[in-house]
Amino acid sequence: MLIRPHTSADLPSSEITPESLYMSRREWLSAAGLTVGAIAGAGALLPRPARAQQSLGTPYGLQPDDKPTPWEDVTSYNNFYEFGTSKDEPAEMARNFRPRPWTVKVEGLVKKPGDYGLDDFLKAGKVEDRIYRHRCVEAWSMVIPWRGIMLADVLKRAEPAPGARYVEFTTLYDPKRMPGQRVPVLRWPYTEGLRLDEAMHPLTLLATGVYGRDLPNQNGAPLRLVTPWKYGFKGIKSIVRIRLTDKQPSTAWNDSAPDEYGFYCNVNPTVDHPRWSQAKERRIGEFLRRPTLMFNGYADQVASLYSGMDLRKNY
Amino acid sequence: MPGPSWWNVVRAFKRPRWWGWAVWLAILVPGTVVLAGLVSDFVLNTRWLGSNPIKEGELLLGKLTIKYLVATLAVTPVRRFLGWNWVARDRRTFGLTAFGYALTHFLWFVLLDIQLDGAELAEGLTKRPYIIVGFIALLVMTPLALTSTKASIARLRKKWTVLHRLAYVVPVLGVIHWWMSVKADIGEPILYSVTFAALLGWRYWHARRLNSPHATTPSGRAAAS
């Protein structure tokens, strides 16, 4: 199932840099032997128009007026309680976190379990750049150019066993490296889950980067989940374990406040959070609020996953 | 009064000439910075208030309200323990400042956060407990602000004293409002809860001691107000 119905409509072709140009700049940078950090530094120094010209990836489900949220906001306004509970803490507290070497365990109801080094793990799929909408449960939103592979490819390589119905994800637990875990604000390690059909959906990404660069630590380096039709907290960060199960996994926020955070976490403007309305959202960088879209604008692609379900109960 | 000499020096501290100016600066600067930050962030694309200036400004105004409530409640213990009776006249200023920031916080919520969405405001004031509690706190503060003039004190006499005991309810409501509005990061709400518990607990203890038959201090008149 390929879903790219919005590609041409979303981004005027004048905005897309020819791939040859884009690649030549990237090749020039790597040919110069620059490290990832230096590339990041160079990118920050480029004048804004030049950066806007970069091809950031294939747009998925973008609305005509959706523009990528600036790198500065994507990498400084983060919810990542493992590195502090305020929005600006993760960028500061995660500064010295080392996301490599990194091992990801794939286990549970699969025919081919395994422990993978990150590079081997990523060989399961093709690394792609995709621009997605991102809606936080706190009623703010962004548009983010992710880089990553489809989770479906990882699961296919592991070969789910017949009884597998859910996928459970687990974040690294290491209070020495993740100081926020010394405070019991949530049940550590953070866990999240998807139904197997959600996990196999072609929109579901395991992201390794944003804006064509490796994920900054505060964004969940080196590997995080991205499900653009769900609230952002579904996007578990710094994943070390992917386990297939026959039972619905317990998830960190659902454990913490079950009346406020369910298992599905689908973006839904008609189902309020108990403490605030979800009908509108504030796009970071914009003054006026926007209406929130059903499934965050991905209804055409994902609504069928939930046909017949009461989304008021399964929030 | 016996005691170490440095303590006498502290107690002898008089209201400095610049004190009034310092109070005015302390009142106006934080609010001005928040407002200027909002304008700068949207007009000049700066990030003074971070990536979500409306939310951050709202939070900062709420925290300023709480801080000025602490200052208001701290005046009487400071008089009592440090002997600085000259801070008495700042209590009204601090209280009015807390009210000013609470009102700005509410207007910020209505105008900038929910942007005059009448349905959302109505829902908030009927269905969302933390908004209801915050709004009640503002309602309780309003008559206190309106009767803060000397004329009102003279006119209401004993009633004024009774009415202004409501000032003890406001910080409790304020902290509950804050606590209910956060997701899991309850560190600061806890810190301020402890502070208010100490300030109100001291008053309770002091009032009981004065009412007991063994009370001897003639300075009790000034206490527990």
Side-chain angles (χ1 to χ4, degrees):
Chain A
M1 175 162 59
L2 261 179
I3 28 160
R4 296 191 178 174
H6 295 283
T7 307
S8 53
D10 289 338
L11 207 60
S13 55
S14 61
E15 293 252 303
I16 302 173
T17 306
E19 188 158 66
S20 57
L21 259 178
Y22 169 59
M23 286 309 292
S24 65
R25 186 182 150 262
R26 288 180 48 75
E27 277 157 16
W28 177 82
L29 285 169
S30 54
L34 298 172
T35 64
V36 171
I39 292 172
L45 291 174
L46 281 174
R48 275 177 182 242
R51 292 185 61 208
Q53 289 293 313
Q54 277 185 63
S55 167
L56 299 170
T58 313
Y60 280 78
L62 299 198
Q63 302 299 308
D65 56 345
D66 279 337
K67 287 188 198 64
T69 303
W71 159 270
E72 289 78 6
D73 296 312
V74 172
T75 59
S76 70
Y77 194 71
N78 307 105
N79 276 324
F80 195 0
Y81 281 18
E82 282 80 346
F83 292 105
T85 54
S86 71
K87 297 287 186 292
D88 51 349
E89 265 176 316
E92 182 59 38
M93 304 272 279
R95 187 162 293 190
N96 299 317
F97 180 76
R98 287 176 185 277
R100 282 164 188 273
W102 194 263
T103 307
V104 185
K105 243 181 214 308
V106 181
E107 61 179 32
L109 297 174
V110 289
K111 289 177 192 144
K112 294 182 178 165
D115 290 8
Y116 296 88
L118 189 63
D119 294 326
D120 287 337
F121 179 82
L122 295 175
K123 283 180 190 149
K126 181 170 129 291
V127 176
E128 292 178 61
D129 291 304
R130 295 184 178 191
I131 310 176
Y132 281 168
R133 294 158 58 87
H134 179 88
R135 169 63 155 81
C136 179
V137 73
E138 297 164 356
W140 53 267
S141 65
M142 295 185 178
V143 174
I144 304 178
W146 297 107
R147 165 169 288 184
I149 63 173
M150 293 199 291
L151 175 60
D153 289 333
V154 170
L155 299 178
K156 279 177 203 154
R157 178 176 63 183
E159 295 182 20
R165 291 187 55 218
Y166 293 93
V167 185
E168 178 195 74
F169 306 85
T170 307
T171 296
L172 173 72
Y173 179 70
D174 189 345
K176 282 204 193 81
R177 295 163 70 192
M178 294 183 152
Q181 290 175 335
R182 292 172 206 162
V183 189
V185 283
L186 287 173
R187 180 223 349 101
W188 310 117
Y190 197 97
T191 58
E192 259 303 342
L194 291 172
R195 236 169 42 194
L196 188 56
D197 55 346
E198 297 176 318
M200 296 295 289
H201 194 280
L203 278 174
T204 305
L205 280 193
L206 284 172
T208 58
V210 284
Y211 273 95
R213 309 171 193 168
D214 280 352
L215 272 180
N217 293 335
Q218 62 269 30
N219 293 82
L223 188 73
R224 64 166 290 167
L225 183 65
V226 178
T227 44
W229 71 97
K230 292 174 179 286
Y231 291 120
F233 68 94
K234 198 63 150 171
I236 180 172
K237 302 183 174 88
S238 304
I239 299 168
V240 293
R241 194 173 67 180
I242 297 173
R243 194 163 69 94
L244 279 78
T245 67
D246 53 355
K247 282 194 260 327
Q248 182 173 301
S250 83
T251 63
W253 276 105
N254 181 241
D255 274 14
S256 163
D259 54 326
E260 299 193 346
Y261 310 102
F263 175 75
Y264 286 95
C265 325
N266 291 321
V267 176
N268 187 341
T270 67
V271 177
D272 288 353
H273 184 282
R275 285 183 282 149
W276 56 84
S277 162
Q278 296 289 28
K280 294 181 185 171
E281 66 199 51
R282 176 164 289 110
R283 175 65 50 80
I284 295 303
E286 292 180 0
F287 182 77
L288 292 176
R289 295 193 303 170
R290 293 166 169 251
T292 287
L293 305 178
M294 188 64 201
F295 295 112
N296 198 25
Y298 299 90
D300 289 351
Q301 293 93 325
V302 301
S304 59
L305 293 172
Y306 311 103
S307 55
M309 281 175 70
D310 182 352
L311 297 177
R312 210 158 269 287
K313 283 195 187 116
N314 297 285
Y315 53 92
Chain B
M1 188 183 189
S5 58
W6 61 265
W7 182 240
N8 290 331
V9 173
V10 170
R11 286 184 64 92
F13 192 67
K14 294 279 190 303
R15 184 182 177 99
R17 271 156 187 263
W18 46 262
W19 184 259
W21 290 104
V23 169
W24 275 107
L25 282 179
I27 288 169
L28 291 176
V29 168
T32 309
V33 168
V34 173
L35 277 173
L38 179 82
V39 173
S40 168
D41 286 357
F42 279 108
V43 177
L44 304 173
N45 261 322
T46 53
R47 285 185 177 77
W48 286 15
L49 301 181
S51 295
N52 195 348
I54 293 179
K55 211 70 204 169
E56 181 67 16
E58 186 174 80
L59 182 64
L60 287 173
L61 290 170
K63 288 187 190 182
L64 281 167
T65 306
I66 297 280
K67 283 174 183 152
Y68 275 94
L69 289 173
V70 171
T72 311
L73 284 184
V75 165
T76 298
V78 162
R79 289 174 65 187
R80 175 90 190 136
F81 289 113
L82 298 182
W84 296 359
N85 275 316
W86 48 267
V87 296
R89 68 163 113 154
D90 295 318
R91 192 174 62 169
R92 177 172 64 188
T93 315
F94 292 154
L96 283 172
T97 305
F99 174 70
Y101 278 128
L103 187 62
T104 314
H105 175 68
F106 176 70
L107 291 174
W108 188 287
F109 168 70
V110 174
L111 297 174
L112 299 175
D113 188 347
I114 64 172
Q115 301 180 339
L116 292 171
D117 184 330
E120 192 164 340
L121 181 62
E123 265 180 17
L125 293 176
T126 51
K127 273 168 53 181
R128 320 250 185 247
Y130 85 97
I131 292 176
I132 294 169
V133 171
F135 189 66
I136 291 174
L138 183 64
L139 287 183
V140 171
M141 291 173 95
T142 306
L144 304 190
L146 293 177
T147 59
S148 63
T149 57
K150 280 190 179 137
S152 296
I153 299 171
R155 189 158 38 87
L156 294 171
R157 291 158 174 268
K158 275 232 166 94
K159 278 187 219 153
W160 190 92
T161 314
V162 176
L163 176 68
H164 279 249
R165 288 211 178 111
L166 283 174
Y168 305 138
V169 180
V170 176
V172 176
L173 293 173
V175 161
I176 293 174
H177 163 72
W178 189 8
W179 199 307
M180 289 169 91
S181 72
V182 297
K183 281 209 304 189
D185 39 344
I186 53 175
E188 275 186 295
I190 289 177
L191 178 73
Y192 281 98
S193 298
V194 171
T195 307
F196 285 129
L199 288 168
L200 294 175
W202 173 77
R203 278 174 168 75
Y204 178 73
W205 170 80
H206 201 70
R208 274 186 55 130
R209 210 176 53 130
L210 289 179
N211 290 335
S212 81
H214 304 293
T216 50
T217 54
S219 63
R221 284 176 291 116
S225 51

